[in-house]
Amino acid sequence: MHRSQLKIKWRTFLLQSCVLLLTYLVITLEAVPIDVDKTKVQGEEQIESAKVDNPDTGLYYDAYLRQVIDVLETDKHFREKLQTADIEEIKSGKLSKELDLVSHHVRTKLDELKRQEVARLRMLIKAKIDSFQDSGIDHQSLLKQFEHLNHQNPHTFEAKDLDMLIKTATSDLENYDKAHHDEFKRYEMMKEHERREYLKTLDEEKRHQEESKYEEMKKKHGDHPKVNHPGSKDQLKEVWEEADGLDPNDFDPKTFFKLHDVNNDGFLDEQELEALFTKELEKVYDPKNEEDDMVEMEEERLRMREHVMNEVDINRDRLVTLDEFLRATEKKEFLEPDSWETLDQQQLFTEEELKEFESHIFQQEDELQKKAKELQRQKEELERQQDQLQAQKQELQQAVQQMELKKLQQGLPPARPDGELKFQPPGAQPVGNTQNNPEGSRQPLPPGTIPVQEAAVRSDHVQTHT
């Protein structure tokens, strides 16, 4: 089997099954020739092979997945095993066992990739723990939440790692569309909830005006040209004529497929399919119109792609081959499809679902209000304690001022900040030096100095004599 075919087969599951990683090839494939009558094509521009940027899968381990695939593709033995392997064998893990036979150089690279991924996950865990200022957490046990690698062996890349990576990526991407639909449904219910809550704040006259405006916008949005059934002959012929610039009478499914296989890998992937619905979506949505919601347009695009995949993708590998495409063009639904209902013609949620959603919203609001009240109470308590401290501070300042005033009235010198007198009478010992001159000890006085007690006695005697 040709090397490029092997690479496409491997990408079929591991990359494109993981939302379009198939297009990321190590060696640029040669362009697939297109059987187009040059006389019927407007302009003789040749379709050249172009390198298409690989879209991000949205998985938190997207870079790790890409790197593992790139390394495995460099091993000759592994590529040879792909000759006899099919999608189910890859899914079941049978191909993962061949990892034991790859070259030492490849295994060394895979080991290094796994150690880097484990280190990255541990760093994420640490950052999350640090944000909550937690400690004493077993990082190794927290690695169990990541199912795309074997956390019990953080150093080497084994067959179990490849098996876990394949199964986890497949499961995550299969649930991606469902998660997107659920998120869109919550978005629509929140819009209706906010509209109803706003109406409650208006008086009867303004409420009637808002209701009339709302119905008018709904009617204006629904007034659009007919939308062709996605994947039908009418829809593809419209693309053939308006986007490709070809004569609608010369429509050829095989040529159409090759024209819109942008990266020339032999498949129509999800992005290439979604690009086919742009003309249909422009009939319904215009970003300049107030009544058109661009979030709804992307949901419409996703539903169109899902519908075509369910009708055309026989082996459910999220890729449309030329054979699958041609088989679909032979079905009755391709020639005589049912009418396509846009989102505005569908009931996105029931009244019971809206009530349940609003109940959840009210519960969250109640919890937030309780937290806000508790924070307000704590704030008021802190302010009260601050006021008490400020009052105590003022009382202490007033007491100090009164003591200083009394000292001045008694003729005593004001005290220093440390409580000592600024002026000491002659012969008096400072208060702070009492420990150096204990009671009972007598120090000799300088000549001519009279002790304080003796001076007081003499003063009394003089006054009595007078």
Side-chain angles (χ1 to χ4, degrees), residues 4 43 83 193 198 232 250 253 259 267 274 288 300 344 352 415 423 446 458:
S4 62
Q83 295 181 13
H193 166 72
Y198 173 68
S232 66
D250 298 327
L259 280 173
F267 300 94
E274 290 181 357
K288 299 179 182 179
E300 192 83 66
D344 56 285
E352 290 74 15
F423 171 77
R458 290 184 181 183

Side-chain angles (χ1 to χ4, degrees), residues 375-410:
L375 291 174
Q376 182 65 25
R377 186 193 65 78
Q378 294 177 4
K379 177 184 176 182
E380 293 174 354
E381 178 64 20
L382 290 175
E383 291 177 349
R384 186 185 64 80
Q385 293 178 2
Q386 185 178 7
D387 293 341
Q388 290 181 349
L389 292 175
Q390 188 67 23
Q392 291 176 2
K393 179 180 178 180
Q394 292 177 356
E395 291 177 358
L396 289 175
Q397 290 177 346
Q398 292 175 0
V400 171
Q401 292 175 358
Q402 291 176 1
M403 291 175 63
E404 294 293 336
L405 181 61
K406 288 182 179 180
K407 288 180 180 180
L408 292 175
Q409 292 175 351
Q410 294 175 0

Side-chain angles (χ1 to χ4, degrees), residues 287-298:
K288 299 179 182 179
N289 295 337
E290 181 184 2
E291 66 273 8
D292 297 336
D293 190 338
M294 295 301 104
V295 176
E296 294 179 355
M297 184 187 74
E298 293 306 318

Side-chain angles (χ1 to χ4, degrees), residues 237-426:
K237 284 182 66 175
E238 190 173 272
V239 176
W240 173 278
E241 179 181 5
E242 297 185 11
D244 302 332
L246 301 177
D247 189 342
N249 297 323
D250 298 327
F251 175 77
D252 177 61
K254 183 177 180 180
T255 303
F256 182 91
F257 180 93
K258 294 179 179 180
L259 280 173
H260 293 277
D261 179 16
V262 180
N263 56 3
N264 299 305
D265 61 357
F267 300 94
L268 289 182
D269 57 40
E270 293 179 340
Q271 271 68 30
E272 290 168 337
L273 279 177
E274 290 181 357
L276 301 178
F277 311 135
T278 301
K279 289 293 181 181
E280 300 302 319
L281 295 171
E282 289 177 349
K283 298 176 182 178
V284 186
Y285 299 95
D286 186 347
K288 299 179 182 179
N289 295 337
E290 181 184 2
E291 66 273 8
D292 297 336
D293 190 338
M294 295 301 104
V295 176
E296 294 179 355
M297 184 187 74
E298 293 306 318
E299 174 69 11
E300 192 83 66
R301 188 193 303 273
L302 175 61
R303 295 191 179 199
M304 288 180 173
R305 187 255 296 166
E306 281 185 317
H307 173 76
V308 173
M309 278 292 187
N310 292 332
E311 294 291 327
V312 181
D313 184 19
I314 299 175
N315 59 358
R316 305 302 180 195
D317 61 354
R318 303 174 76 92
L319 295 168
V320 177
T321 64
L322 176 59
D323 182 64
E324 290 174 331
F325 184 79
L326 294 178
R327 288 186 182 182
T329 60
E330 298 173 357
K331 297 180 180 179
K332 180 181 178 181
E333 292 79 6
F334 179 74
L335 301 175
E336 301 176 3
D338 299 330
S339 59
W340 177 259
E341 291 186 354
T342 54
L343 288 175
D344 56 285
Q345 298 172 320
Q346 302 178 26
Q347 184 180 10
L348 302 179
F349 52 85
T350 63
E351 192 67 25
E352 290 74 15
E353 289 174 329
L354 179 60
K355 289 182 179 179
E356 183 179 356
F357 177 78
E358 289 182 327
S359 175
H360 181 66
I361 293 295
F362 293 145
Q363 182 180 358
Q364 288 182 332
E365 291 177 350
D366 185 58
E367 293 176 356
L368 290 176
Q369 289 178 358
K370 290 181 179 179
K371 290 181 180 180
K373 289 181 179 179
E374 177 62 20
L375 291 174
Q376 182 65 25
R377 186 193 65 78
Q378 294 177 4
K379 177 184 176 182
E380 293 174 354
E381 178 64 20
L382 290 175
E383 291 177 349
R384 186 185 64 80
Q385 293 178 2
Q386 185 178 7
D387 293 341
Q388 290 181 349
L389 292 175
Q390 188 67 23
Q392 291 176 2
K393 179 180 178 180
Q394 292 177 356
E395 291 177 358
L396 289 175
Q397 290 177 346
Q398 292 175 0
V400 171
Q401 292 175 358
Q402 291 176 1
M403 291 175 63
E404 294 293 336
L405 181 61
K406 288 182 179 180
K407 288 180 180 180
L408 292 175
Q409 292 175 351
Q410 294 175 0
L412 297 176
R416 292 179 182 177
D418 57 0
E420 295 184 2
L421 294 176
K422 295 182 180 179
F423 171 77
Q424 297 290 341

Side-chain angles (χ1 to χ4, degrees), residues 130-191:
D130 291 344
S131 66
F132 293 100
Q133 298 181 352
D134 204 347
S135 60
I137 303 298
D138 184 5
H139 288 209
Q140 186 66 21
S141 63
L142 290 179
L143 284 173
K144 296 179 181 179
Q145 62 184 301
F146 304 113
E147 299 179 351
H148 65 286
L149 50 73
N150 180 16
H151 63 87
Q152 296 178 349
N153 178 17
H155 305 294
T156 59
F157 191 96
E158 306 295 341
K160 184 176 181 180
D161 290 286
L162 181 58
D163 185 45
M164 294 177 67
L165 182 61
I166 292 173
K167 292 180 178 178
T168 303
T170 303
S171 176
D172 289 346
L173 291 164
E174 286 177 350
N175 296 327
Y176 176 80
D177 290 343
K178 181 180 183 302
H180 188 280
H181 292 317
D182 293 341
E183 183 64 27
F184 174 75
K185 187 175 182 179
R186 288 192 293 270
Y187 168 79
E188 289 293 321
M189 288 192 292
M190 177 59 76
K191 277 188 6 180

Side-chain angles (χ1 to χ4, degrees), residues 457-466:
V457 172
R458 290 184 181 183
S459 177
D460 294 342
H461 176 72
V462 172
Q463 292 176 0
T464 303
H465 179 71
T466 303

